[in-house]
Amino acid sequence: MIRDDQDYMLWDTGLPAGLLGAKLDPNAVLAPTLAKDIPTQLAEIGVKPEQITRLGISHNHFDHVGRQSHFRRQRC
């Protein structure tokens, strides 16, 4: 997250919330799991999702855009 005065920009939005607590599959090529989602992590530092006014997405892979619909956005 980048802060400029009261303007917050989030860089990438992480894994989809559906992966919260997902079990690891030792036989899978990819077995992503998530202990905390982005809104929870933001809350831990005192930032509400509605305070994020801008998103920066590095690239369009599931592990970078998983929660983008959760945020109100402006193009950066």
Side-chain angles (χ1 to χ4, degrees):
M1 182 177 61
I2 300 165
R3 179 179 164 197
D4 179 27
D5 193 28
Q6 294 302 310
D7 192 22
Y8 291 90
M9 176 184 173
L10 182 63
W11 189 260
D12 288 342
T13 61
L15 291 165
L19 292 173
L20 276 168
K23 302 292 182 204
L24 292 176
D25 179 354
N27 299 315
V29 175
L30 285 174
T33 186
L34 189 58
K36 297 178 187 178
D37 66 0
I38 294 288
T40 300
Q41 293 176 55
L42 289 171
E44 289 175 352
I45 61 171
V47 177
K48 297 175 184 172
E50 57 270 16
Q51 290 178 275
I52 305 294
T53 57
R54 299 179 186 275
L55 292 180
I57 303 297
S58 62
H59 59 284
N60 196 24
H61 287 166
F62 79 101
D63 57 332
H64 293 259
V65 299
R67 291 299 302 245
Q68 70 177 331
S69 64
H70 190 78
F71 296 94
R72 172 181 63 146
R73 296 178 290 178
Q74 297 177 20
R75 292 193 180 259
C76 296

